């Protein structure tokens, strides 16, 4: 089967390989000289009824060849307990994104020409398509009356303006989010009689508050970026998007990065851009509907830029909202080229990655320590490792 797949793929590729190589443009433009870089990392340890998550965010500034740090990554870990356990890993990823966006927001006020984040603008905008949609579908038709009875983003009571990114401040924000969700649940769970419905409602409320706060942070970041005229760029080491693949008629076989890795195998210092892309309409999800519509209305258009800095290096993806103009994108690309290492990856993005990365065992160690310190109670039982682990079968 593998040989057949490769044969068919190569047959299809012959028709587009030359076209893609010819469309690649050389990287040019005046590079930015004052830039910021943000990356984050999180690890999660599932327990009987909760998840213990540890986060870190790294943020550095590069001005005239000199580096400084705004957030020191794994040196300043952030611990949070995710309750209830439902959608634990997805919710941890969302909380991680909140921290990264807050770090980027802080970097915007540091007299920079651009800020680069690890990841994808597409993923940031499409977050509501993941577990917030699942939590809504679990409620069935009840979600309609629920959304009409929940506070919107402006009345949620969680202040985000000038929010610090220190571990103490971020852990305080996560506590506020948890307390607000619990408050809403206690006030409104009488809408349901069945225990199973109450459980789904608790899951929904927690996801609703977390997602709405996330969207508020995203809106604030994008608004500030446009007002301060400091563009934002997301750079992805790997991507599963297939926008280019669909354009050349190879959908179903490859993704964009795989296609370009092959078609550009003899190229370096090359890029191609897909402009004027637009997000589709979102289905109902566990988030403030007005805020979702506002964000899609204001920032629903985006561009995707694929680039390769070294012949043996990877094809990378850069995504950004449409208010960023072409000259700014080319200056961003020129800056990344100027700062690339021998492997074809921008050194500042490598630095923040290594600053942020966490040992996968740290969440387990933190969870074990909390478990040991809890008195015998239902809370201690919630922190207990699985029966498999307690039996020595890890």
């Amino acid at each position: 089967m593998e040989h057949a797949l490769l044969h068919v793929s190569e047959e299809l590729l012959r028709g587009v390989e030359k076209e893609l190589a010819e469309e690649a443009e050389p990287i040019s433009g005046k590079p930015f000289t004052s830039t910021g870089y943000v990356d984050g990392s999180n690890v999660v340890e599932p327990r009987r009824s909760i998840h213990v998550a540890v986060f870190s965010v790294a943020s550095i500034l590069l001005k005239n060849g000199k580096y400084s740090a705004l957030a020191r990554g794994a040196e300043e870990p952030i611990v949070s307990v995710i309750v209830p356990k439902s959608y634990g890993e997805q919710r941890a990823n969302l909380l991680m994104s909140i921290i990264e966006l807050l770090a980027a927001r802080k970097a915007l006020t540091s007299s920079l020409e651009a800020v680069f984040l690890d990841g994808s603008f597409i993923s940031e905008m499409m977050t509501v398509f993941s577990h917030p949609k699942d939590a809504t579908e679990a409620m069935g038709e009840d979600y309609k009356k629920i959304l009409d009875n929940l506070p919107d983003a402006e009345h949620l009571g969680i202040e985000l303006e000038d929010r610090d990114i220190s571990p103490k401040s971020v852990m305080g924000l996560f506590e506020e989010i948890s307390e607000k969700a619990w408050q809403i649940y206690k006030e409104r769970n009488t809408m349901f009689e069945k225990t199973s419905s109450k459980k789904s409602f608790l899951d929904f409320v927690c996801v609703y508050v977390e997602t709405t706060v996330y969207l508020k942070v995203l809106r604030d970041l994008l608004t500030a970026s446009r007002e301060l005229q400091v563009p934002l760029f997301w750079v992805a080491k790997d991507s599963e998007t297939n926008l280019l693949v669909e354009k050349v008629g190879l959908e179903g076989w490859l993704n964009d990065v795989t296609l370009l890795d092959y078609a550009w195998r003899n190229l370096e210092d090359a890029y191609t851009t897909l402009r004027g892309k637009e997000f589709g309409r979102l289905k109902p999800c566990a988030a403030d509907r007005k805020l979702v519509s506002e964000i899609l209305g204001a920032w629903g258009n985006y561009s995707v830029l694929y680039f390769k800095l070294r012949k043996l290096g990877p094809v990378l993806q850069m995504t950004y909202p449409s208010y960023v103009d072409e000259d700014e994108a080319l200056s961003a690309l020129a800056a990344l080229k100027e700062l690339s290492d021998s492997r074809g990856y921008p050194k500042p993005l490598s630095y923040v990655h290594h600053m942020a990365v966490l040992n996968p065992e740290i969440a387990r160690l933190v969870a074990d320590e909390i478990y040991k310190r809890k008195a015998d109670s239902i809370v201690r039982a919630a922190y207990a490792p699985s029966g498999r682990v307690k039996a020595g079968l890890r």
Side-chain angles (χ1 to χ4, degrees):
M1 180 62 186
E2 177 182 305
H3 297 298
L5 175 60
L6 291 174
H7 176 73
V8 174
S9 295
E10 289 179 4
E11 287 263 330
L12 295 169
L13 279 170
R14 289 192 190 102
V16 298
E17 178 187 351
K18 184 178 179 182
E19 175 188 345
L20 291 173
E22 290 176 347
E23 286 184 357
E25 301 181 59
I27 296 173
S28 61
K30 183 180 179 181
F32 291 129
T33 59
S34 57
T35 47
Y37 303 85
V38 177
D39 197 1
S41 174
N42 68 283
V43 290
V44 180
E45 169 71 7
R47 291 298 167 116
R48 280 274 172 81
S49 296
I50 54 126
H51 282 81
V52 174
V54 181
F55 307 89
S56 81
V57 63
S59 176
I60 61 174
L61 310 181
L62 176 57
K63 295 184 178 181
N64 300 315
K66 295 183 178 180
Y67 288 97
S68 60
L70 285 180
R72 297 183 177 278
E75 292 182 14
E76 301 173 330
I78 299 163
V79 177
S80 182
V81 177
I82 298 176
V83 182
K85 193 176 182 179
S86 305
Y87 314 111
E89 292 189 5
Q90 297 99 314
R91 290 166 61 198
N93 290 335
L94 181 73
L95 296 176
M96 183 72 255
S97 293
I98 289 175
I99 305 173
E100 291 173 328
L101 297 180
L102 288 172
R105 177 66 181 88
K106 189 171 183 66
L108 285 181
T109 60
S110 302
S111 302
L112 302 174
E113 295 172 286
V115 174
F116 296 87
L117 298 94
D118 179 78
S120 167
F121 177 60
I122 300 172
S123 296
E124 300 283 12
M125 292 289 283
M126 302 303 283
T127 289
V128 289
F129 260 145
S130 59
H131 69 285
K133 187 168 86 66
D134 295 338
T136 301
E137 291 176 349
M139 291 303 308
E141 288 298 310
D142 286 332
Y143 84 86
K144 295 177 182 178
K145 68 178 181 181
I146 292 171
L147 286 175
D148 291 334
N149 284 279
L150 295 182
D152 61 20
E154 308 312 320
H155 297 91
L156 203 57
I158 297 176
E159 294 300 322
L160 298 168
E161 189 174 353
D162 299 324
R163 175 71 68 164
D164 191 8
I165 55 172
S166 67
K168 182 178 179 181
S169 176
V170 173
M171 286 189 284
L173 172 61
F174 290 169
E175 288 178 7
E176 288 181 50
I177 290 173
S178 181
E179 289 171 4
K180 174 56 67 172
W182 180 241
Q183 176 189 340
I184 294 173
Y185 172 77
K186 287 193 297 181
E187 291 173 354
R188 294 166 172 80
N189 76 82
T190 52
M191 290 188 293
F192 306 97
E193 295 181 0
K194 295 181 180 179
T195 301
S196 59
S197 297
K198 290 179 183 289
K199 172 63 173 62
S200 295
F201 178 55
L202 177 59
D203 294 341
F204 181 93
V205 169
C206 290
V207 172
Y208 176 90
V209 176
E210 292 163 357
T211 308
T212 300
V213 169
Y214 164 79
L215 291 172
K216 286 182 68 176
V217 176
L218 179 61
R219 178 184 63 181
D220 180 50
L221 175 65
L222 293 169
T223 301
S225 167
R226 188 160 56 183
E227 291 178 351
L228 296 170
Q229 297 184 345
V230 181
L232 299 165
F233 301 95
W234 280 259
V235 179
K237 296 181 280 290
D238 293 294
S239 169
E240 293 298 325
T241 52
N242 57 4
L243 301 169
L244 186 59
V245 165
E246 291 178 353
K247 178 183 174 183
V248 299
L250 293 177
E251 61 266 39
W253 291 101
L254 309 164
N255 60 37
D256 290 350
V257 171
T258 304
L259 175 61
L260 289 175
D261 265 333
Y262 177 81
W264 287 2
R265 61 192 180 280
N266 294 316
L267 298 184
E268 66 178 7
D269 183 23
Y271 80 96
T272 189
T273 309
L274 297 172
R275 299 182 184 88
K277 308 306 293 182
E278 186 175 358
F279 297 108
R281 293 176 60 86
L282 294 184
K283 296 179 181 179
C285 61
D288 177 4
R289 288 176 292 185
K290 291 185 294 184
L291 182 54
V292 173
S293 297
E294 177 188 340
I295 289 176
L296 283 176
W299 296 286
N301 295 307
Y302 64 97
S303 294
V304 181
L305 187 153
Y306 294 101
F307 64 102
K308 186 178 178 184
L309 303 176
R310 296 285 185 270
K311 183 176 179 180
L312 298 180
V315 172
L316 303 172
Q317 182 198 72
M318 187 167 77
T319 48
Y320 48 94
S322 61
Y323 64 82
V324 176
D325 65 37
E326 185 175 356
D327 287 342
E328 289 174 320
L330 293 179
S331 290
L333 198 55
L336 296 179
K337 173 189 172 183
E338 191 174 75
L339 296 165
S340 68
D341 59 23
S342 60
R343 295 189 177 99
Y345 191 70
K347 286 183 279 190
L349 287 172
S350 180
Y351 295 157
V352 287
H353 169 80
H354 286 99
M355 287 170 64
V357 69
L358 291 164
N359 185 325
E361 287 293 297
I362 190 172
R364 181 180 65 81
L365 295 174
V366 170
D368 284 345
E369 192 60 32
I370 296 173
Y371 175 63
K372 291 174 185 175
R373 297 186 182 194
K374 293 293 180 183
D376 287 332
S377 67
I378 190 64
V379 176
R380 177 179 168 84
Y383 277 94
S386 70
R388 180 185 182 88
V389 171
K390 293 183 78 172
L393 303 174
R394 184 186 293 273

